Amino acid sequence: MNIVVAMKQIPDLQQIRIRNRKPVFDDVPMTLGAIDKNALEVGVSIKESQGGKVTVLSAGNEDLEDTIKEALAAGADEALLVIDDALAVAGSDVIAMVLAAAVKKMEAAELIIFGEGSGDNYSGQVGSRVAAILDWPQVGYASSLELNGNMLRAARSLEDGEEIVEVTLPAVVTVISGINEPRIPSVTQILKAGKKPKEVLEPEDLGLQIPAEAQVLSLSNLAPESERKQVVLKSVDELVQALKNENVIGR
Amino acid sequence: MEFNLSKEQSLIQQMAREFAEKSIAPVAKQIDEESKIPEEILAGMAELELFGIPFSEEYGGADGGYDGYVLVMEQIAKVSGGIAMTMAAHTLGLGAISAFGTEEQKKKYMVPGCKGKHIVSFAFTEPGTGSDPKQLSSTAKRDGDYYILNGTKRFISNANFPGAMVVFAKETETGEVTAFILDKLSPGYSISEPWEKIGMHGGQLLDVYMKDVKVPVENLLGKIGQGFPVLLLGIALGKIGTSTAALGGTLAAFEEAVKYAREKTHRGQPIAKFQAIQLKIADLAIKYETARWLCYRLGCLANNIKDPAAFAAEAALVKAYCGDNVVDAARIAVDVHGSYGLMRDYTIERVYRDAIIGPEIEGVADMQKMIVAGSILKK
């Protein structure tokens, strides 16, 4: 089975410093999104049980050639990269268009796995948009997957419960972080990652033109400020009553 | 000059950090209390190929260089000095076999060692000898196709695990110090109970008793009388491990102090707001950064040793610095904690006990300084 795992290159969130209430991205190394790593683990596990290969697919700037080694170390067999500086700031619609065009170029992909959202912007749109462009069915919020032939059974983790759905391949699946614990690659898996097959395309190779200007500008990414009520309580009973009064509990 | 890690090096560091935090940290206290490394931790390390990082894939290693080894050791040592000690002694033994072993010896002893099926030892010290090979009293007497080894070795790491032990004895015919590879747990080989030491629990030191242990002639490591060069290089490689174990301890001290300074409040504000604490945090950062780059550089130098004596002097310098440095760092970090730093509930208490091992093992600090001075003044 040809499994495609789509992953996004993002700044390493743990290394971002904040200065004047703004994130500083200088010298912050790039990495792959955390939920994307769950998606990769799903793909690699399916390959290990059912055979086939896992291709990691990504679009971004030239740093991607180095960053993608993380995925190749963690079990992807090969990489297909679409590289252009403009892709680093492109919106979800452009990225989806690029990824879908790349999938069409690949030999018979049957399953595309995404993380539910990227580690930086978390728009959660790209998976659905790719499914729409390819006209494939899509399963979102997958918390477990079971594959029987070309029938995929997925549990979807919803707010008030779990939904079990079945879908015929080819399909797009977006997974949540709780679906697994990504494996830790060994020393040789890391060292050999750079030697795995990697195809690098430019948008023009897919017949696409990418707008040079960012379509989405981040004006602010601060958490909304909330005013503390600073209520002083003397007992648990008082606390319970206060929470009830605020409609936090006992609704 | 390049001071950045490559992507692969960053990933190796990240891998070791993740394994250390997810698998070792939750049982670090247990390892300290029981002085035993759980089997599943050793199995996990073997799976990630941490027992043969610098060695060739041909002999079961990961081909990750000593630079890869220091990156991993630092992260492991940060959470468990005992595991770091075990890994350091093992890698030292393998390093000696890798440098002086025959093709057959490397295939026979390095492959299971690098795969973590065996844990290797390096046995020089005796009850009556410190660092002076001339004082060695263990003997190896040729008898047909075997050497018969007799003697006692002191403070030997990993002596209770199956696998190879690089052992030094005087060959009786020539009286020359010679190295051999001995299969641990073979007839005539016995061990003491582990020594109860102050820190780095889990990394066990035992005495080894050799009573007519038969070692095949083909297990001669190097040549008769070549014991000193084997010892010189082996110990120098070992200092990469002990220095980096100290580096990991320094990082632990630094991080624990920063964490505590941010969490502990005095008169309504974190103690990190006080200048007295800030100066200590700066001292810890200086101690960590200086030790870090010395260790990383030593790892890079070890990948391509042209002159073993020059490398031994470099290793001695790094070991002298890092060994003392971790003790100073741990002390400062305890000071940041105040009385709480003395309590077993706080990680820094273990870090402090582990740290004091640093200047004393693999050659005491003063001996390292004599090697350094000798390398300068003899020129």
Side-chain angles (χ1 to χ4, degrees), chain B residues 64-377:
Chain B
Y66 277 99
D67 51 334
Y69 171 63
V70 296
L71 291 171
V72 170
M73 267 295 276
E74 178 187 3
Q75 298 302 324
I76 302 286
K78 190 186 96 174
V79 294
S80 172
I83 296 180
M85 189 171 169
T86 303
M87 213 173 134
H90 167 83
T91 311
L92 144 64
L94 283 178
I97 299 174
S98 173
F100 291 93
T102 62
E103 195 58 25
E104 291 72 28
Q105 288 171 343
K106 290 183 195 176
K107 291 220 161 99
K108 184 173 178 190
Y109 293 106
M110 287 188 69
V111 173
C114 289
K115 298 282 180 200
K117 294 189 173 106
H118 288 167
I119 311 274
V120 176
S121 301
F122 189 86
F124 172 75
T125 305
E126 296 182 353
T129 39
S131 307
D132 184 2
K134 288 183 188 130
Q135 304 295 318
L136 213 64
S137 65
S138 291
T139 57
K141 189 170 191 294
R142 178 84 184 246
D143 180 11
D145 292 337
Y146 293 92
Y147 282 96
I148 308 300
L149 267 65
N150 280 287
T152 300
K153 294 291 175 184
R154 174 138 291 173
F155 303 145
I156 306 305
S157 286
N158 307 332
N160 49 338
F161 288 102
M165 170 185 280
V166 174
V167 63
F168 295 83
K170 275 187 178 157
E171 199 273 330
T172 52
E173 217 166 281
T174 59
E176 300 271 9
V177 174
T178 304
F180 300 87
I181 305 173
L182 177 153
D183 269 308
K184 286 182 281 186
L185 316 182
S186 55
Y189 176 97
S190 62
I191 50 176
S192 68
E193 286 292 311
W195 282 83
E196 289 186 16
K197 58 189 187 329
I198 186 168
M200 288 197 170
H201 294 166
Q204 296 185 336
L205 296 177
L206 304 96
D207 285 356
V208 168
Y209 312 108
M210 297 180 292
K211 173 83 177 149
D212 295 332
V213 178
K214 284 170 82 175
V215 174
V217 169
E218 61 265 24
N219 277 22
L220 191 66
L221 184 59
K223 297 183 181 126
I224 297 283
Q226 212 186 14
F228 187 68
V230 177
L231 180 67
L232 180 88
L233 183 66
I235 293 280
L237 292 173
K239 285 169 196 164
I240 307 169
T242 44
S243 301
T244 317
L247 171 67
T250 308
L251 177 59
F254 179 29
E255 290 190 356
E256 288 300 319
V258 170
K259 191 171 80 175
Y260 188 81
R262 284 186 171 142
E263 286 171 359
K264 170 76 175 173
T265 55
H266 179 70
R267 293 184 182 163
Q269 56 180 339
I271 60 168
K273 294 273 184 195
F274 299 112
Q275 270 189 343
I277 297 296
Q278 290 169 3
L279 298 182
K280 288 183 171 60
I281 298 298
D283 281 339
L284 284 165
I286 292 165
K287 288 190 178 302
Y288 171 61
E289 287 298 330
T290 47
R292 178 156 85 112
W293 294 107
L294 280 174
C295 286
Y296 288 8
R297 177 173 170 274
L298 189 64
C300 292
L301 289 176
N303 285 339
N304 187 16
I305 299 172
K306 292 191 182 93
D307 176 353
F311 177 75
E314 293 278 0
L317 186 150
V318 177
K319 162 69 174 60
Y321 181 78
C322 294
D324 283 341
N325 189 60
V326 68
V327 180
D328 295 344
R331 170 64 202 267
I332 294 169
V334 168
D335 285 345
V336 169
H337 285 70
S339 307
Y340 289 98
L342 309 175
M343 305 303 155
R344 292 239 157 147
D345 295 336
Y346 287 78
T347 302
I348 195 61
E349 183 268 346
R350 174 177 56 74
V351 172
Y352 185 76
R353 282 187 289 106
D354 285 356
I356 197 72
I357 304 269
E360 314 304 335
I361 49 162
E362 216 70 73
V364 296
D366 286 348
M367 179 59 79
Q368 307 312 312
K369 289 175 188 170
M370 285 171 65
I371 296 169
V372 175
S375 75
I376 297 164
L377 300 173

Side-chain angles (χ1 to χ4, degrees), chain A residues 69-70 181 185-186 188 192, chain B residues 7-8 15 22 49 57:
Chain A
K69 288 175 185 168
E70 286 181 43
E181 177 78 24
S186 73
T188 52
K192 288 181 175 170
Chain B
K7 183 69 183 175
E8 283 80 358
M15 168 270 284
K22 283 187 182 162
E49 301 165 311
E57 271 192 77

Side-chain angles (χ1 to χ4, degrees), chain A residues 30-31 37 66-67 69-70 181-182 184-192 194, chain B residues 7-8 11-12 14-15 18-19 22 47-50 53 57 61-64:
Chain A
M30 303 304 276
T31 185
K37 290 177 185 170
D66 218 22
T67 310
K69 288 175 185 168
E70 286 181 43
E181 177 78 24
I184 304 176
S186 73
V187 181
T188 52
Q189 283 171 326
I190 291 168
L191 293 174
K192 288 181 175 170
Chain B
K7 183 69 183 175
E8 283 80 358
L11 289 176
I12 287 173
Q14 190 181 313
M15 168 270 284
E18 209 176 325
F19 176 72
K22 283 187 182 162
E47 201 173 314
L48 295 177
E49 301 165 311
L50 307 189
I53 299 167
E57 271 192 77
D63 253 336

Side-chain angles (χ1 to χ4, degrees), chain A residues 83-84 202-210:
Chain A
I83 290 185
D84 190 299
E202 291 177 6
E204 293 74 26
D205 299 328
L206 299 168
L208 300 171
Q209 287 287 329
I210 308 301

